[in-house]
Amino acid sequence: MVFAKRPVSGFTGGVTQPAKISRTSIYVAAGRAVGAREPDPSAQNPDYLAEKLLGDPSTLELDHPAVRALSLSYDEAMRDVEVVVNVRMMTIRTRFIDEALERAIANGATQVVILGAGFDSHAYRCQKSLANVKVFEVDRPVTQELKKQRVKEVLGTPPSNLTYVPVDFQQDSLPDVLTRHGYDRTQRTFFILEGVTMYLPEEAARETLRFVGAHPPRSGIVFDFVYRAMIDMIARIDMANIPAAQKPFVQRFLDLTKNEPWVFGLPVGGEREFLRELGLDLREMFTVGGEDSAKRYLTRADGTQVGAQAIAEAMARMAARAREAAPTSPEVQQQMSPERMREQQRLSAYHLAEAVVAN
């Protein structure tokens, strides 16, 4: 099985290019870092190491609101709705994954495999719960070398139970590479696949999940995904038809994913059947940023939600600009209707899922 992740390893359109650090790994870690500054523990991102592992923001070769926010105070940073959206998403993702990891360890997992690890910090900040577990961080050599350098500078010696697994996602067989580094596929294992599935060709996604499904019962995986409808919508984007208020956000997304395109999504309503074919049972799934996830992970002790005011103000401005641009247009009125907006949000939203190997 070749775990073909994303083309940032340098192969795009048949032309080999110099390998670079994944841009998404940087802005994802930046979102976690800003979220860790939230003063209320009830809605705080628990990744207190993210900012330390990233280091000096001025050295990061990425112009993104979440990266710029590292140089601002928390309150000032959270006035930018793009920062808010990123922080909320990463807080939900991190806390959900942390819970799933704790559950997996309690259920007897003796190995944890982090695929496309980037600046993931579980091996370092969860040492107590992972004390008797082997941890494997799998990533491209160029990203992994920077990670190892930052770990050395910030933490010194990495944990003794951690193994770094460099891999060429385009060429290498994931099971073979893991095995060469001491991995035992007969042991109960928990996989973390964060921010990866949307970059995989469908067959590579199936093969990766099928590999997980071939493990002993009660092994499992936590992963995020988008729907196939979202992939189709991205392919049909025409900037000329995007409302002016939305263009900066859409263009930033397109720029960010230019060399790391989203290509795979799960079928709407067919998630459970999709996973079952691959030997996995869906344990839990929800929409990132939806009402349930916000209540569960973003609600402070006083009942307010992280970033809720900035989002409400941005939505109001967007709706007002759309009405001003075409106040009598039935098409605009239909697109701005609550029902249409809720359905579009459902199809285009990010989702989190935890699945276990079927008995």
Side-chain angles (χ1 to χ4, degrees):
M1 178 190 73
V2 175
F3 181 71
K5 188 187 175 188
R6 55 187 77 171
V8 291
S9 57
F11 188 78
T12 306
V15 180
T16 301
Q17 301 171 348
K20 296 181 179 180
I21 302 299
S22 169
R23 289 151 56 91
T24 56
S25 71
I26 295 174
Y27 90 82
V28 163
R32 292 199 298 259
V34 176
R37 297 176 178 178
E38 162 62 41
D40 191 328
S42 302
Q44 185 182 74
N45 192 307
D47 193 352
Y48 62 90
L49 287 177
E51 188 164 359
K52 295 179 180 179
L53 290 175
L54 278 173
D56 183 354
S58 66
T59 65
L60 301 174
E61 297 181 1
L62 176 63
D63 182 22
H64 187 277
V67 175
R68 295 197 296 270
L70 295 172
S71 302
L72 305 174
S73 69
Y74 179 68
D75 288 342
E76 186 178 0
M78 295 297 281
R79 295 191 188 108
D80 186 329
V81 71
E82 286 193 75
V83 174
V84 167
V85 169
N86 193 18
V87 166
R88 283 166 62 98
M89 178 184 292
M90 299 314 158
T91 297
I92 293 168
R93 267 170 46 167
T94 303
R95 297 185 67 180
F96 180 77
I97 291 171
D98 281 10
E99 290 177 357
L101 175 62
E102 290 289 340
R103 204 160 34 241
I105 301 306
N107 287 334
T110 56
Q111 295 180 138
V112 171
V113 179
I114 306 170
L115 298 170
F119 290 94
D120 187 285
S121 67
H122 286 99
Y124 318 96
R125 64 181 174 85
C126 302
Q127 290 187 46
K128 184 175 181 181
S129 59
L130 294 172
N132 299 313
V133 178
K134 289 184 177 181
V135 182
F136 300 86
E137 284 195 8
V138 182
D139 213 335
R140 297 183 307 117
V142 65
T143 301
Q144 196 165 82
E145 285 305 312
L146 174 61
K147 169 77 165 290
K148 289 163 68 174
Q149 176 186 330
R150 294 301 304 145
V151 168
K152 182 178 180 180
E153 293 172 357
V154 173
L155 303 172
T157 305
S160 59
N161 63 330
L162 170 63
T163 299
Y164 293 107
V165 183
V167 63
D168 180 341
F169 290 119
Q170 299 276 348
Q171 303 294 331
D172 295 335
S173 163
L174 178 62
D176 291 348
V177 174
L178 280 170
T179 299
R180 289 199 298 270
H181 285 81
Y183 169 81
D184 182 357
R185 66 186 302 170
T186 67
Q187 293 187 31
R188 189 173 297 163
T189 305
F190 183 70
F191 290 81
I192 297 176
L193 191 66
E194 181 182 6
V196 174
T197 62
M198 59 288 301
Y199 299 99
L200 296 174
E202 180 166 352
E203 187 51 38
R206 287 179 178 272
E207 284 297 308
T208 302
L209 294 169
R210 188 177 291 115
F211 171 60
V212 176
H215 282 72
R218 295 171 68 187
S219 294
I221 183 170
V222 62
F223 65 98
D224 49 357
F225 69 93
V226 295
Y227 283 128
R228 192 172 297 156
M230 176 61 166
I231 303 300
D232 294 339
M233 280 192 285
I234 292 173
R236 294 195 302 268
I237 287 177
D238 181 355
M239 290 300 293
N241 295 324
I242 300 296
Q246 298 179 19
K247 280 186 177 181
F249 307 103
V250 175
Q251 189 60 57
R252 192 180 302 281
F253 172 80
L254 293 177
D255 291 344
L256 194 64
T257 59
K258 181 178 180 180
N259 294 317
E260 302 175 275
W262 288 14
V263 297
F264 170 71
L266 267 64
V268 178
E271 310 90 351
R272 194 172 298 276
E273 292 73 17
F274 179 89
L275 292 170
R276 189 171 293 135
E277 291 177 6
L278 306 172
L280 296 166
D281 284 337
L282 182 63
R283 182 188 176 276
E284 183 178 12
M285 182 190 80
F286 61 84
T287 302
V288 175
E291 185 177 343
D292 290 342
S293 67
K295 181 178 180 181
R296 182 169 165 181
Y297 297 117
L298 300 175
T299 303
R300 303 185 180 102
D302 63 2
T304 62
Q305 287 186 0
V306 171
Q309 181 176 350
I311 290 177
E313 291 173 354
M315 293 294 290
R317 288 194 300 269
M318 192 177 298
R321 288 172 184 169
R323 287 192 296 269
E324 290 171 3
T328 60
S329 168
E331 183 179 350
V332 169
Q333 292 177 4
Q334 182 182 10
Q335 290 188 358
M336 298 304 294
S337 70
E339 296 79 10
R340 179 69 177 270
M341 292 181 70
R342 279 195 295 269
E343 176 62 12
Q344 188 170 15
Q345 182 182 30
R346 184 179 75 88
L347 295 177
S348 62
Y350 229 75
H351 300 268
L352 270 168
E354 181 186 1
V356 297
V357 174
N359 290 323

